[in-house]
Amino acid sequence: MSSNQLAGESERIVRRYEYDDCWVLAADVGLASEDIDVDVVGTTAIVVADTGEQISETEFELPGEEASVATNNGVLTITVEK
């Protein structure tokens, strides 16, 4: 397993893990699942977050097209099968 970590302007932590059979992108968004909408188009994940004060959109480039999305306790995970 290998991992990378990034912190954006909002100081949110985004980590990317690479396993033998998949990649996992985990982002600490700090929002409930009903406040986040994720669409995967090709190899791009489009994340729209509603903080109550503003709506923001972020795009992540994914290493493949077969992606599944989950949100749990404010952590967004996108898993891409190899």
Side-chain angles (χ1 to χ4, degrees), residues 13-24:
I13 295 175
V14 178
R15 290 188 176 134
R16 180 178 160 187
Y17 301 95
E18 184 174 348
Y19 299 99
D20 291 336
D21 60 342
C22 67
W23 290 277
V24 176

Side-chain angles (χ1 to χ4, degrees), residues 10-74:
S10 63
E11 295 302 312
R12 299 276 186 221
I13 295 175
V14 178
R15 290 188 176 134
R16 180 178 160 187
Y17 301 95
E18 184 174 348
Y19 299 99
D20 291 336
D21 60 342
C22 67
W23 290 277
V24 176
L25 180 73
D28 177 10
V29 293
L31 298 171
S33 60
E34 59 268 7
D35 297 329
I36 299 172
D37 186 34
V38 181
D39 289 324
V40 177
V41 180
T43 60
T44 303
I46 303 166
V47 181
V48 179
D50 184 357
T51 65
E53 298 174 8
Q54 70 178 15
I55 296 175
S56 63
E57 181 180 314
T58 304
E59 294 183 6
F60 294 100
E61 193 63 34
L62 302 175
E65 294 184 8
E66 297 296 321
S68 62
V69 178
T71 306
N72 190 17
N73 292 329

